[in-house]
Amino acid sequence: MAVAERAHTPINGVAVDQLFATVDAVKATPSIAKFKFQITNRWNTGSQNCSTASGFSGANQELGHPHPFSLLADEPAILLGKDTAANPVEYLLHALASCLATSSVYHAAARGIRIDKVESSFDGDLDLRGFLDLDPAVRKGYQGIRARFKITADAPDDQLQEIVRLGTGHSPVFDSITRGVPVSVSAERL
Amino acid sequence: MAVAERAHTPINGVAVDQLFATVDAVKATPSIAKFKFQITNRWNTGSQNCSTASGFSGANQELGHPHPFSLLADEPAILLGKDTAANPVEYLLHALASCLATSSVYHAAARGIRIDKVESSFDGDLDLRGFLDLDPAVRKGYQGIRARFKITADAPDDQLQEIVRLGTGHSPVFDSITRGVPVSVSAERL
């Protein structure tokens, strides 16, 4: 992480002194950088299911959230759901948007770049002929995703571009989605 | 979509007759299979930001949810957040889990395979040396994700494996995450 200055007050709401302390700690003990995030999911019926994010591990210890976070998923009526929650592909866009925002803001803070506002819109194209097995040439996943950021910062225009590049250059979700992740899947009887 | 029988009552909570009607409609008019999903995101402070999923397009029309769904993201304290919500990489696991569950359940329903329960757990490895720029050989995204399904169904063991393969073989989020998606990003002044 590049360091413009060592600030002792938060920048962009990020405790920059703690951020640099984390960097120093990882340099001294690289194993504390290994994290494992996890969720469980329970199917309700049809397109409705619910995940729970309660704990994770990192810094060589088991860690937990203060309380479990429940994440409900459903599909809209046109996709045969009850429309009680966002659907999985909308959650994917949220994962990407939230990770890019946080990655931009943290790395900007580390460089002393103060940001006032970040708003973004994300959209992605899906062709259901893939999911429905109607055309093997049509992929089942997103064909492409577009992200548009609008930023207010006391910075020249080229620094606005840099802020977004700090996001794309560091975001774990952006890296995962653009480069792909191996996923192993097993099944057994409940 | 393979068809075992044309059922007129829901299977697995899925209106199978509507599912087959959708397949027939897409065969007749392929353009209705094109969907665009979208969210907007607003950064609050630090690691906290919120997405809204309110509308999408598909079947040659603009469509909306009955009300907007708000999706809050944060980071745990050890990652300098306030721990008010799941974090982006947990949301990514939820997107994957929920899409695999729904894809399995829909395609099983289309084949007349009745499922009673589906539970799953997902975990993924992240090494923060990537995010922190401490080792260029360490990727910033998930190094790997493991999914474990447990299923109750009136089916032999090999059909449990088939149910999960129906998920991995059709899920838009599984396809997106395992094969990668091009993401374009732009920035302008707010």
Side-chain angles (χ1 to χ4, degrees):
Chain A
M1 175 167 282
V3 178
E5 57 175 329
R6 293 227 162 192
H8 296 289
T9 53
I11 298 179
N12 307 332
V14 178
V16 181
D17 51 348
Q18 289 181 43
L19 184 54
F20 291 134
T22 301
V23 171
D24 291 341
V26 171
K27 282 180 180 171
T29 313
S31 66
I32 65 172
K34 292 185 185 297
F35 277 66
K36 181 183 291 183
F37 289 97
Q38 58 201 42
I39 57 121
T40 56
N41 182 274
R42 184 186 294 260
W43 172 60
N44 297 338
T45 184
S47 57
Q48 194 186 68
N49 60 78
C50 188
S51 295
T52 303
S54 55
F56 57 97
S57 63
N60 295 326
Q61 55 192 303
E62 294 295 320
L63 297 160
H65 294 298
H67 62 85
F69 298 117
S70 292
L71 309 172
L72 188 66
D74 200 346
E75 292 288 348
I78 196 170
L79 298 177
L80 313 186
K82 302 295 188 193
D83 219 347
T84 58
N87 80 353
V89 295
E90 290 171 325
Y91 274 108
L92 188 73
L93 297 181
H94 168 58
L96 179 59
S98 59
C99 198
L100 282 170
T102 299
S103 300
S104 294
V105 162
Y106 274 44
H107 279 273
R111 285 159 178 77
I113 303 170
R114 293 174 193 277
I115 301 173
D116 295 316
K117 291 183 183 175
V118 182
E119 296 180 9
S120 60
S121 60
F122 285 68
D123 61 70
D125 299 313
L126 275 177
D127 187 328
L128 288 186
R129 289 178 297 168
F131 178 80
L132 295 173
D133 279 339
L134 292 178
D135 186 342
V138 175
R139 79 175 292 184
K140 296 163 197 313
Y142 273 124
Q143 297 174 323
I145 295 173
R146 289 161 298 278
R148 298 176 187 86
F149 279 86
K150 293 187 178 183
I151 299 172
T152 303
D154 183 19
D157 283 350
D158 59 351
Q159 204 167 56
L160 297 185
Q161 304 298 325
E162 183 192 347
I163 291 168
V164 170
R165 280 197 302 271
L166 289 172
T168 56
H170 295 97
S171 161
V173 175
F174 182 85
D175 181 75
S176 297
I177 290 178
T178 56
R179 296 178 57 204
V181 180
V183 180
S184 69
V185 183
S186 68
E188 62 182 283
R189 195 173 296 277
L190 181 62
Chain B
M1 177 166 283
V3 178
E5 57 175 329
R6 293 228 163 190
H8 295 289
T9 54
I11 298 178
N12 307 332
V14 178
V16 181
D17 52 347
Q18 289 181 43
L19 183 54
F20 291 134
T22 300
V23 170
D24 290 341
V26 171
K27 282 180 180 171
T29 313
S31 67
I32 66 172
K34 293 184 184 297
F35 276 66
K36 182 183 290 184
F37 289 97
Q38 58 201 41
I39 57 121
T40 56
N41 183 275
R42 184 185 294 260
W43 172 59
N44 296 339
T45 183
S47 56
Q48 195 186 69
N49 60 77
C50 188
S51 294
T52 303
S54 55
F56 57 98
S57 62
N60 295 327
Q61 55 193 304
E62 295 296 319
L63 297 161
H65 294 297
H67 61 86
F69 299 117
S70 291
L71 309 173
L72 188 67
D74 201 346
E75 291 290 347
I78 196 171
L79 298 176
L80 313 185
K82 301 296 187 192
D83 219 346
T84 58
N87 80 355
V89 295
E90 291 170 325
Y91 274 108
L92 187 72
L93 296 181
H94 168 59
L96 180 59
S98 58
C99 198
L100 281 170
T102 299
S103 300
S104 294
V105 162
Y106 274 42
H107 279 272
R111 286 159 178 76
I113 303 170
R114 292 175 193 276
I115 301 173
D116 294 316
K117 291 183 183 175
V118 182
E119 295 180 10
S120 60
S121 60
F122 285 68
D123 61 70
D125 299 313
L126 275 177
D127 188 326
L128 288 186
R129 289 179 298 167
F131 177 80
L132 295 172
D133 279 339
L134 292 177
D135 186 342
V138 175
R139 78 174 293 184
K140 295 164 197 312
Y142 273 123
Q143 297 174 325
I145 295 173
R146 289 161 298 277
R148 298 176 187 85
F149 280 86
K150 294 187 177 182
I151 298 172
T152 302
D154 183 19
D157 283 350
D158 60 351
Q159 205 168 55
L160 297 185
Q161 305 298 326
E162 183 192 348
I163 291 168
V164 170
R165 280 197 302 271
L166 289 172
T168 56
H170 295 96
S171 160
V173 175
F174 183 84
D175 181 76
S176 296
I177 290 178
T178 56
R179 296 178 57 204
V181 180
V183 180
S184 69
V185 183
S186 68
E188 62 183 284
R189 195 173 296 277
L190 180 61

